[in-house]
Amino acid sequence: MTLTAPAAAPPAQSRRPPPRPPLRPLRILLNVFLALVALGWLLPLALAVYASLRPYEETARLGYLSLPEHLTLGYYGEAWSQAELPHYYLNTLIIVIPGVVVTLFLASFTAFAIARLRIPGRKALLIVFTAGNLLPPQVLITPLYTLYTLIPLPEWLSDSQALYDSYLGLILIHVAFQFGFCVFVMANFMRTIPEEITEAALVDGASVWKRYWRLTLPLCRPVLAALSTLQFTWMYNDFLWALVLMSSGDKLPVTSALNNLRGQFFTDYNLLAAGSVLVALPTLIVFQLLHKQFVAGLTLGATKG
């Protein structure tokens, strides 16, 4: 009996990184353009942060683009207390959190009906929701103001006993204007989910609610995270509807708190810059917490046919 030595394994080929594509003039031009756009977006924020760290007397004497002599965080403490930011933060959360939750819940259920149920006229319904996003909100200011003053509410919901000057009124207007956009995005996302999953659940006897709540909605977490980030940012930054549909100063959202930093005869713009940075901080925190899900929600389904 003869023993044969096992064949020697072929030497492992060294894995080389794929060669980079050559830098073409068009790609270089595109990178320069994107860098300029990013700089244009970041420059006002950087200038606001820089101004908030310098005393007003220094910038008035040397200019906002000069080199600093003193840097201080004192303006942030002054803006926090003088603008009563904790109170206005609470007002904003009372409006934004229910607005985002209600909008996403109603939009996801409507999108499920359009994308997964064979209801008549679903394409036309989706077109109506999409067309609603094209309506400028400014044209509705006068009729909405009149309508809000005529709709009664119990005293425990509104001190004015009307939909005007109430948190509920602002929540409803945000839900109404953001609903169509969310339905459009979620319906297109749900169409990328394989139909076989829904059909298997249907064979197993799952009801419409179970197919929506326990099957489809968990698969929509990326798009829900992306829409949550967008909706929070848009509702948080709203100033128009709060100004039109509210009259009580202590109910206004945080975007209006910056008016407390403006004097009657003089405005310290460095103090105002510090207040603006504090007001913008929650949106940056939310985006930082959800940025992975936000990017996944925007790109998932981009390569599907």
Side-chain angles (χ1 to χ4, degrees), residues 170-192:
L170 276 185
I171 294 172
L172 291 178
I173 199 65
H174 286 311
V175 171
F177 272 95
Q178 303 302 331
F179 178 73
F181 173 77
C182 293
V183 169
F184 172 76
V185 174
M186 296 198 70
N188 287 294
F189 182 87
M190 289 180 183
R191 287 175 178 172
T192 65

Side-chain angles (χ1 to χ4, degrees), residues 83-259:
E84 301 179 7
L85 288 182
H87 172 75
Y88 289 99
Y89 278 139
L90 180 61
N91 290 348
T92 301
L93 293 180
I94 292 174
I95 298 169
V96 171
I97 292 180
V100 172
V101 172
V102 173
T103 301
L104 293 183
F105 174 74
L106 295 179
S108 62
F109 199 80
T110 306
F112 173 79
I114 292 175
R116 290 301 183 185
L117 302 180
R118 300 185 180 277
I119 58 176
R122 56 179 182 173
K123 291 185 179 180
L125 189 61
L126 184 60
I127 293 175
V128 170
F129 284 129
T130 307
N133 297 322
L134 305 178
L135 182 66
Q138 290 80 3
V139 302
L140 298 177
I141 289 179
T142 301
L144 275 177
Y145 176 83
T146 305
L147 183 66
Y148 268 49
T149 57
L150 297 177
I151 297 178
L153 283 182
E155 189 174 357
W156 62 274
L157 274 178
S158 174
D159 296 334
S160 63
Q161 298 184 0
L163 196 57
Y164 177 75
D165 196 26
S166 67
Y167 292 124
L168 180 61
L170 276 185
I171 294 172
L172 291 178
I173 199 65
H174 286 311
V175 171
F177 272 95
Q178 303 302 331
F179 178 73
F181 173 77
C182 293
V183 169
F184 172 76
V185 174
M186 296 198 70
N188 287 294
F189 182 87
M190 289 180 183
R191 287 175 178 172
T192 65
I193 301 175
E195 289 281 354
E196 291 78 7
I197 298 178
T198 306
E199 292 174 356
L202 186 60
V203 170
D204 292 339
S207 62
V208 174
W209 175 257
K210 286 186 177 180
R211 279 180 281 157
Y212 160 74
W213 184 257
R214 303 184 61 180
L215 182 64
T216 305
L217 205 59
L219 298 176
C220 295
R221 288 179 182 176
V223 71
L224 286 174
L227 288 176
S228 298
T229 307
L230 290 175
Q231 295 303 314
F232 181 89
T233 303
W234 292 341
M235 294 184 188
Y236 181 92
N237 290 330
D238 173 69
F239 181 75
L240 172 67
W241 292 119
L243 189 65
V244 172
L245 302 177
M246 275 193 166
S247 59
S248 300
D250 59 343
K251 292 183 179 179
L252 293 174
V254 72
T255 50
S256 63
L258 297 178
N259 287 328

